[in-house]
Amino acid sequence: TLNLNGVEQIFRWIQPSSFVMGSPSDEVDRGYDEILHIVSFRYGYWLADTVCTQALWQAVMGFNPSHFSNNLANPVEQVSWNEVQTFLSRLNKQVPGLDPVLPSEAQWEHACRGGTATAFCFGKTITPEEVNYNGEYPYAYGKEGVNRKQTVPVKSFFPNAWGLYEMHGNVWEWCADWYGE
């Protein structure tokens, strides 16, 4: 657990293992390039249990760039990949030895699934009761639901099996590497 100026961030250990990355050809909204392939991690890695909150960003950077700034427990948004690199560098100066980095695309997908083999850590589909997204356009022809039209505080929904929150919906998340085949 990290505590920086009264702002807490919990990290979860992700065990070394293998998983099947990509998606089956019959999955709804599948991209042509999401070919199933095995990815193995020889080493485990640490991952924050939530995306970076506005409170943590502000504690490190001294300002809050977010559009949805009505709650410091909301995820920080409106930040570029380069700004995140500056944040990580400054965080490491404030907490020497932490050595924070963004996860790779493969690490993120592995952690997001939380040990499942389905499209979502909750199963084959999602609902607005499980994930913050525009429920006016339900996934996989599901039932229409609420559109909150803004981010929600981290830990608003149940975590996946590995204790990671809002791995689906709420905000797009940066990874260390770029998406590629």
Side-chain angles (χ1 to χ4, degrees):
T1 301
L2 168 69
N3 192 312
L4 185 65
N5 302 327
V7 179
E8 184 177 271
Q9 178 65 67
I10 297 172
F11 292 85
R12 302 284 181 200
W13 177 250
I14 309 301
Q15 296 287 338
S17 63
S18 297
F19 83 111
V20 179
M21 187 172 180
S23 59
S25 59
D26 62 348
E27 187 175 290
V28 175
D29 292 336
R30 176 188 191 265
Y32 74 93
D33 57 349
E34 296 178 23
I35 300 164
L36 291 172
H37 61 285
I38 296 173
V39 175
S40 297
F41 297 99
R42 290 183 5 173
Y43 305 102
Y45 54 97
W46 289 96
L47 193 64
D49 71 339
T50 68
V51 294
C52 181
T53 63
Q54 294 173 26
L56 182 58
W57 184 275
Q58 194 165 306
V60 173
M61 300 295 284
F63 69 98
N64 183 358
S66 300
H67 176 74
F68 300 112
S69 58
N70 59 322
N71 187 334
L72 291 178
N74 283 354
V76 70
E77 23 89 11
Q78 306 299 318
V79 294
S80 70
W81 188 88
N82 286 331
E83 289 168 322
V84 171
Q85 299 309 306
T86 300
F87 167 85
L88 294 171
S89 176
R90 288 185 185 176
L91 177 58
N92 198 49
K93 286 178 183 167
Q94 291 181 25
V95 186
L98 184 62
D99 297 325
V101 296
L102 289 172
S104 69
E105 179 81 16
Q107 287 172 323
W108 186 89
E109 186 171 331
H110 177 241
C112 178
R113 291 181 184 219
T116 67
T118 53
F120 302 99
C121 64
F122 305 113
K124 291 183 178 184
T125 192
I126 52 173
T127 68
E129 289 76 33
E130 299 166 314
V131 175
N132 185 31
Y133 72 102
N134 185 350
E136 294 171 2
Y137 299 94
Y139 179 80
Y141 313 106
K143 186 176 154 187
E144 195 170 310
V146 66
N147 177 7
R148 294 175 184 87
K149 299 183 182 179
Q150 66 178 29
T151 59
V152 298
V154 300
K155 298 186 180 181
S156 289
F157 300 99
F158 289 107
N160 70 13
W162 293 353
L164 304 170
Y165 292 86
E166 282 91 36
M167 294 298 286
H168 305 293
N170 218 15
V171 291
W172 287 87
E173 298 177 21
W174 288 114
C175 290
D177 54 351
W178 301 104
Y179 181 82
E181 293 183 26

